[in-house]
Amino acid sequence: MRKMISSLILIFLFTPILLRAQSGDDYKTASEIADYKYIGTFGLDKMDKILGPELDAYMHGSPLPAEEYRGKFEKPKYPVKLYRVRYKSVIPEFGNQPITATGLVAVPETGTKTMPVLSYQHGTVFSKYEVPSHPDSTSEVKLMLATFGAQGYIVVGADYFGLGESDLPNSYLVKEASEQACLDMLIAAGDVLVDLGIERGDLFLHGWSQGGWTTMSFLRKLEELNITVKAAAVASAPVDAFGTINRWLNNWQPGDAIYLPGCGSNFFFSHEYYNNLPDLAKRAIKPEYYQVAKDFYEFKIDFKELVSKTPVKTPDMFNDEFRVTGDIGTEPFWKMLEEMQAYRWRIKTPLRTYYGEADEVVPVYIALLPENWHKLLGSGDTKAVNAGPKADHRGTYIYSSLHPPKWFSTFK
């Protein structure tokens, strides 16, 4: 990682300043690596709507009873100013190739100079712009702004490579690229805040689903770099990629999410590209579904069209010959998945991992691995928190949005 950071610094020093050339008059330069522009403010009325009718609409169809969350969030205290950030980064998988990525810095209008920072890692999206830098397009990010931003936290979020304004392929669940996107976004956010005359307080982390895994992987890198994180929370985090993907492909259950085939195919395309695994997607996906899956990965069709042209059961979309390679798991693809685990280290940071018993994406077994691992080691403050028997994937996220702010406040 230190080699990665050193390479990044060299790139910043000796690469022409591309950001200024690309950004246009509406962006302001914060540093050699970051520029930003104001894109709006979420006022208190907007925050109330996010926690009221918009939340009800988002949770439509979830088995989690509304009384579990309706009216239980803290009343929003502060409007939040939103800034889209464009920053320099590198792709570790491509020998630290320099690129430009995007993300969000959201600053609450508290009237104070120093505020705590929440780095939020977003979950799986099937739209290129359903990301933090376009906050009004994503209910997930809006909820973070209403629950953390409106309570006085600066909220920072990377879009990830291939999403937002990035012209790269989607780096879906790619380990080092995801870590780098978040790390460099955090650095860029610091430069933006300095330019705004704001000082950063304590750092906290949170993430859901894909973002739960990303948060865990990012946390390990931050601890490796001796960057202090006060506390972290994750929800429905697939911390064991080998187990999660193998379960999706080979042990379908009636309650599995309808979007798992799309998650799986996107996973194969992203790792074929970023981890140099030629023809991985063709080996994995049945020929009759390959082109529609590729179009979906490239954002040429939407999720509705994908569902209309692919099976409901995840195993039915993928080649039997490929699926059985997970039995032994010695092929390069499965070995790579083993290296993606995001829980097997002695975590120093206080951590809460939220899970739901009705989660249709991440099995309870997977969600409990961090707590059980640390019980085995006899170390750390890592605890699993049950969101309840009716908490599905979204319900677990809602529960993890409701409770961590109170826990985080004990560290201030």
Side-chain angles (χ1 to χ4, degrees):
M1 183 65 183
R2 289 180 177 85
K3 182 179 179 182
M4 188 187 304
I5 298 298
S6 298
S7 300
L8 186 58
I9 290 171
L10 289 173
I11 289 168
F12 291 160
L13 289 175
F14 297 109
T15 299
I17 302 175
L18 301 176
L19 288 175
R20 294 180 185 177
Q22 294 175 353
S23 60
D25 294 339
D26 53 347
Y27 276 84
K28 181 180 180 183
T29 299
S31 68
E32 294 296 309
I33 68 168
D35 61 9
Y36 67 103
K37 68 176 179 179
Y38 170 73
I39 56 173
T41 295
F42 279 6
L44 295 181
D45 288 346
K46 172 73 170 178
M47 298 297 189
D48 287 336
K49 289 180 181 177
I50 292 170
L51 296 177
E54 290 189 18
L55 179 57
D56 287 343
Y58 177 69
M59 291 299 289
H60 178 73
S62 169
L64 187 70
E67 56 267 22
E68 293 287 330
Y69 56 85
R70 187 179 292 152
K72 292 191 175 183
F73 287 92
E74 291 288 328
K75 183 74 174 173
K77 296 177 182 177
Y78 309 109
V80 176
K81 287 187 173 181
L82 309 172
Y83 300 92
R84 184 173 299 145
V85 179
R86 187 177 289 156
Y87 63 98
K88 289 182 179 179
S89 189
V90 297
I91 306 175
E93 289 83 0
F94 294 168
N96 293 329
Q97 174 186 320
I99 61 164
T100 299
T102 50
L104 174 73
V105 172
V107 181
E109 298 184 63
T110 63
T112 58
K113 190 176 182 181
T114 303
M115 290 170 276
V117 175
L118 176 75
S119 177
Y120 182 72
Q121 287 62 243
H122 71 81
T124 299
V125 297
F126 294 145
S127 167
K128 187 174 172 64
Y129 297 103
E130 200 174 353
V131 291
S133 69
H134 294 259
D136 218 9
S137 68
T138 159
S139 296
E140 175 192 355
V141 172
K142 285 191 287 186
L143 188 60
M144 279 294 111
L145 297 175
T147 54
F148 282 94
Q151 297 300 324
Y153 287 81
I154 296 165
V155 178
V156 174
D159 292 343
Y160 310 146
F161 302 160
L163 299 175
E165 312 304 318
S166 172
D167 57 2
L168 292 164
N170 184 1
S171 59
Y172 184 54
L173 289 168
V174 175
K175 184 176 183 293
E176 290 186 350
S178 298
E179 294 167 354
Q180 197 70 34
C182 296
L183 177 62
D184 294 338
M185 179 62 211
L186 188 62
I187 295 169
D191 292 343
V192 170
L193 293 171
V194 168
D195 199 61
L196 292 171
I198 296 167
E199 295 181 2
R200 291 174 292 176
D202 292 329
L203 174 63
F204 297 83
L205 303 185
H206 192 358
W208 170 54
S209 193
Q210 173 191 358
W213 171 83
T214 304
T215 298
M216 293 293 289
S217 195
F218 183 33
L219 175 61
R220 178 161 48 192
K221 283 302 180 186
L222 291 173
E223 290 193 351
E224 180 185 350
L225 292 168
N226 293 315
I227 296 174
T228 300
V229 178
K230 271 292 186 179
V234 296
S236 301
V239 294
D240 190 307
F242 185 102
T244 301
I245 297 297
N246 215 327
R247 155 68 175 77
W248 290 356
L249 294 183
N250 291 306
N251 187 23
W252 181 84
Q253 298 295 310
D256 280 4
I258 193 173
Y259 47 83
L260 289 186
C263 292
S265 59
N266 276 359
F267 186 87
F268 293 125
F269 280 110
S270 69
H271 286 276
E272 175 179 310
Y273 179 81
Y274 284 95
N275 284 304
N276 190 28
L277 295 171
D279 294 325
L280 174 64
K282 282 187 177 179
R283 289 182 57 221
I285 303 168
K286 289 183 177 179
E288 59 266 38
Y289 305 125
Y290 176 82
Q291 189 58 52
V292 68
K294 188 172 187 290
D295 288 345
F296 181 63
Y297 173 69
E298 295 174 350
F299 302 110
K300 294 177 180 178
I301 64 171
D302 61 16
F303 176 66
K304 184 177 180 181
E305 185 171 350
L306 177 79
V307 170
S308 72
K309 295 179 178 179
T310 54
V312 172
K313 295 183 179 181
T314 306
D316 292 346
M317 186 165 170
F318 301 101
N319 289 313
D320 294 343
E321 297 81 0
F322 180 82
R323 293 193 297 110
V324 298
T325 62
D327 292 353
I328 303 298
T330 54
E331 289 198 359
F333 170 75
W334 296 103
K335 289 182 177 180
M336 179 201 69
L337 262 60
E338 288 281 19
E339 294 174 358
M340 287 177 60
Q341 61 79 18
Y343 68 97
R344 294 200 300 264
W345 85 99
R346 289 182 179 269
I347 301 172
K348 297 183 294 185
T349 304
L351 172 68
R352 297 296 177 266
T353 63
Y354 294 85
Y355 68 96
E357 294 178 39
D359 196 320
E360 68 275 32
V361 177
V362 178
V364 171
Y365 175 88
I366 298 291
L368 291 176
L369 286 172
E371 179 185 64
N372 288 332
W373 177 256
H374 284 80
K375 285 180 180 178
L376 174 69
L377 299 184
S379 65
D381 179 15
T382 297
K383 293 183 174 63
V385 181
N386 190 347
K390 294 186 178 181
D392 61 352
H393 203 55
R394 282 174 294 161
T396 304
Y397 171 60
I398 297 304
Y399 193 93
S400 80
S401 304
L402 180 60
H403 294 276
K406 299 172 186 176
W407 181 56
F408 284 178
S409 69
T410 66
F411 294 92
K412 292 184 181 180

